[in-house]
Amino acid sequence: METLQDKSNKPYNMIEKYLYTWPHGELNGDSAWRKSEHSGYVEHPMPEKDEKLANDSRWPGFFPSAICFVTTGDENNNALEKVVGATIVNRFPYIVALSFCTKPLSERHYVRENFMKRLESGGSVAVQYFEPGKFIDKAMDAITNIDDNEIEKRIASTGLKTVKAQTNDSPVFEDAYLVYEAKLVKPGKDFEGNPIFDKPYTDYGSHRIYYLEIEAIQLREDIRKCETQIAWKSLPKWEAQKPLQQLTPSATKPVVDVKYQKGYTSDYFFPGKNTIGFEYDKIENGMAIKFLPPLPEDQVEVDNDKARWPCFFPSSVGLVTTWGEDGSANLMPCGSTSVLIRHPLCFAICVSYAKINVRYAPRASLKSLLEQKQFICGVPFANDTIVDAIKYAGNISITQDLDKINNAGLEYFEDEYGPVLSALPISYRCKIVDVVRLGTHFLMLGEVQSVIVRDDVTKDNCLKWYSYPDVVKVKND
Ligand SMILES: Cc1cc2nc3c(=O)[nH]c(=O)nc-3n(C[C@H](O)[C@H](O)[C@H](O)COP(=O)(O)O)c2cc1C
């Protein structure tokens, strides 16, 4: 294994070279940024101009997004791409969304024409994760050095061995420790009989978002047996340079009988004390393999624990705030949040509408989102106040606690698009431009109208993030 612990027992040595920081330069003094109407913040109006994008199409902001490698095709006609921000968007059926550039924006964001052709003709993919180190580097080199029009050469050029996926023909790297096999969704119906997926993708702006139903998951045996663990830091690191907020603890916090508590930690280990074990059907090539039943009806198990994701999938969380009809301020932590369109920059947030169990129940936020057609997506960071707030707000509905944000220990100020949580380094003001019914969740596409950033976010006091999960030896604590 590549991720050997060093003598000081630090598990994250190998991953250090993948550190990503934001901002890339000073925002103060950059002509794209101006003083916000909210004091103590700077703001970037959106969308950006085409010429500016052509020069530098890196996001004018940051959202914690994991990177995976995706293969498609078969032994003779295959393709490899990296995907930023792959995300689970629906629970039943179990769907991963992957987005690809369809319009040329810059050298970084160019059209993935040949990859998409193969994906659409074969109809399936294998989404794969490597440990930090040489395997990531080999895959990344192949993608960087070989153009999309010679895409069939990429996998061979990595020098890595592949085997066929279990449920489709996509090549699976023998060195991947986690693999999600998935196929393009077919038209169907949700539990209420509403039609879903007249087509397996959504086009908006510069990107196409594909919806792929997961058919099998492969997890390396040493991880399945908990000899090693996947270690995932789901929130960026950042230090506020001025008080986080003024708040004094609320005395009104209700004691609510919450039937199901969804846990949350920004420092996540899988498998771990608070995770489920990986239930598998067979073992092959050193991988434990679980097949997911084909029909959504078969996958529904009312039990809350069974409805949990069957295995680790790297995600973060967006803090989605809205105004209710009555002016109440709501906050819904949303793990299925990702930036899926580059231009205009769009967030996808996936909100449960299904009545399956306590875990998957319609969210009160849904009503405000559908009515107001706007929201704010705040970027949390690794901090006890923030993590406690996520746990509280993610387990109580505004229907149970009208003062949910304050009782979560957070302060907000008013903005047209929603309450802005003052402790968060970055907030995106979003207008909903599309709503896609997926089965249990609505995917809401929020086009960013402007980015608001605290003025203590600077190049020297940047957000720090690793886009790859690590694999570490088990900690014995
Ligand atoms: C870490 C975390 C992530 C969550 N992700 C989602 C999500 O992606 N989609 C969703 O519908 N609910 C998600 N939830 C649950 C909602 O945040 C929760 O049901 C909340 O109480 C809804 O509030 P509301 O009824 O006031 O809208 C998540 C909860 C937590 C703790």
Side-chain angles (χ1 to χ4, degrees):
M1 249 191 346
E2 279 275 301
T3 46
L4 294 176
Q5 290 174 321
D6 66 16
K7 288 202 181 89
S8 60
N9 208 27
K10 268 200 263 134
Y12 289 101
N13 51 348
M14 205 64 192
I15 204 163
E16 283 307 327
K17 75 179 213 191
Y18 303 96
L19 177 69
Y20 179 86
T21 62
W22 192 86
H24 310 297
E26 291 308 342
L27 306 182
N28 198 347
D30 181 327
S31 60
W33 292 83
R34 61 178 189 211
K35 253 194 166 157
S36 166
E37 60 172 293
H38 304 299
S39 128
Y41 293 77
V42 290
E43 188 160 348
H44 189 306
M46 299 287 277
E48 304 127 288
K49 297 229 161 50
D50 289 352
E51 313 83 74
K52 190 200 155 240
L53 272 173
N55 246 337
D56 182 0
S57 63
R58 289 177 297 179
W59 303 349
F62 167 83
F63 187 78
S65 310
I67 300 180
C68 63
F69 295 94
V70 181
T71 59
T72 190
D74 57 34
E75 210 185 332
N76 304 315
N77 189 12
N78 55 44
L80 166 68
E81 253 308 343
K82 75 157 202 267
V83 173
V84 180
T87 183
I88 302 287
V89 289
N90 193 64
R91 182 62 192 92
F92 301 110
Y94 199 34
I95 295 173
V96 60
L98 305 174
S99 73
F100 295 92
C101 193
T102 53
K103 299 205 172 96
L105 300 178
S106 67
E107 272 178 26
R108 175 182 290 257
H109 288 99
Y110 62 89
V111 181
R112 269 42 179 197
E113 189 180 345
N114 289 296
F115 186 88
M116 290 191 290
K117 264 189 198 149
R118 282 172 175 74
L119 194 170
E120 288 181 26
S121 67
S124 45
V125 295
V127 176
Q128 304 172 57
Y129 296 87
F130 295 117
E131 287 183 44
K134 65 182 178 206
F135 303 123
I136 288 185
D137 297 348
K138 285 181 177 178
M140 208 53 114
D141 283 351
I143 294 164
T144 315
N145 298 331
I146 301 175
D147 195 74
D148 178 75
N149 58 30
E150 291 192 302
I151 201 156
E152 66 287 348
K153 296 189 180 153
R154 281 188 185 165
I155 291 184
S157 93
T158 63
L160 301 174
K161 283 197 192 137
T162 59
V163 292
K164 199 167 86 65
Q166 295 282 328
T167 56
N168 65 57
D169 291 334
S170 307
V172 167
F173 289 104
E174 283 187 351
D175 296 299
Y177 66 82
L178 177 65
V179 183
Y180 277 76
E181 302 182 11
K183 64 169 185 207
L184 287 174
V185 292
K186 297 249 156 56
K189 289 208 161 64
D190 70 4
F191 298 111
E192 293 153 17
N194 301 300
I196 47 174
F197 303 124
D198 56 337
K199 52 184 179 7
Y201 55 80
T202 297
D203 286 323
Y204 193 77
S206 59
H207 278 63
R208 172 166 288 187
I209 306 170
Y210 289 103
Y211 306 112
L212 294 131
E213 181 172 349
I214 297 162
E215 295 191 287
I217 306 171
Q218 303 194 24
L219 178 68
R220 211 172 61 198
E221 258 295 83
D222 53 298
I223 302 172
R224 200 274 303 164
K225 288 195 272 184
C226 206
E227 293 162 4
T228 55
Q229 284 171 307
I230 300 174
W232 174 236
K233 292 183 184 298
S234 64
L235 298 184
K237 270 195 173 171
W238 181 68
E239 298 278 344
Q241 296 300 300
K242 53 186 188 183
L244 204 55
Q245 49 186 12
Q246 309 300 325
L247 199 76
T248 41
S250 164
T252 60
K253 201 166 180 160
V255 182
V256 177
D257 171 26
V258 179
K259 298 208 173 44
Y260 180 82
Q261 286 277 346
K262 183 174 161 70
Y264 182 70
T265 165
S266 61
D267 226 345
Y268 188 77
F269 290 90
F270 182 88
K273 279 197 289 274
N274 300 316
T275 74
I276 51 160
F278 180 64
E279 286 177 14
Y280 59 98
D281 298 305
K282 68 169 184 177
I283 293 175
E284 209 174 287
N285 295 329
M287 302 295 275
I289 299 156
K290 176 175 179 65
F291 296 101
L292 277 79
L295 293 171
E297 293 93 297
D298 297 344
Q299 287 187 40
V300 176
E301 290 162 88
V302 181
D303 174 80
N304 287 307
D305 273 327
K306 283 276 165 62
R308 287 164 82 153
W309 292 1
C311 189
F312 167 82
F313 192 94
S315 63
S316 188
V317 61
L319 297 193
V320 174
T321 56
T322 47
W323 294 121
E325 225 183 351
D326 54 356
S328 55
N330 200 7
L331 159 61
M332 188 194 112
C334 185
S336 292
T337 298
S338 187
V339 174
L340 292 182
I341 312 283
R342 175 59 190 91
H343 185 53
L345 194 74
C346 290
F347 273 81
I349 58 167
C350 301
V351 184
S352 172
Y353 69 83
K355 299 185 193 81
I356 292 181
N357 54 30
V358 179
R359 195 180 178 98
Y360 293 102
R363 311 295 184 216
S365 301
L366 197 58
K367 192 164 179 281
S368 350
L369 286 161
L370 291 171
E371 278 172 9
Q372 313 280 327
K373 299 205 167 12
Q374 58 187 28
F375 62 89
I376 289 194
C377 180
V379 180
F381 63 104
N383 167 285
D384 289 347
T385 303
I386 307 289
V387 170
D388 287 350
I390 294 173
K391 281 195 267 199
Y392 182 78
N395 281 294
I396 195 165
S397 174
I398 192 145
T399 54
Q400 298 159 293
D401 177 7
L402 268 174
D403 202 12
K404 181 170 165 180
I405 298 188
N406 283 323
N407 286 328
L410 294 179
E411 249 175 21
Y412 64 89
F413 55 85
E414 294 190 3
D415 182 272
E416 182 192 338
Y417 285 80
V420 181
L421 303 174
S422 34
L424 302 186
I426 310 176
S427 296
Y428 295 86
R429 303 162 83 234
C430 299
K431 185 172 124 202
I432 296 178
V433 290
D434 202 359
V435 177
V436 187
R437 185 184 285 270
L438 301 174
T440 51
H441 288 62
F442 281 122
L443 180 145
M444 300 192 177
L445 214 50
E447 186 179 316
V448 177
Q449 306 298 300
S450 75
V451 190
I452 317 179
V453 176
R454 272 174 67 123
D455 61 11
D456 51 352
V457 176
T458 59
K459 190 164 186 289
D460 288 339
N461 188 46
C462 53
L463 283 93
K464 297 187 174 128
W465 165 253
Y466 301 98
S467 299
Y468 300 102
D470 205 349
V471 179
V472 297
K473 287 189 180 155
V474 172
K475 285 202 299 191
N476 293 316
D477 54 0

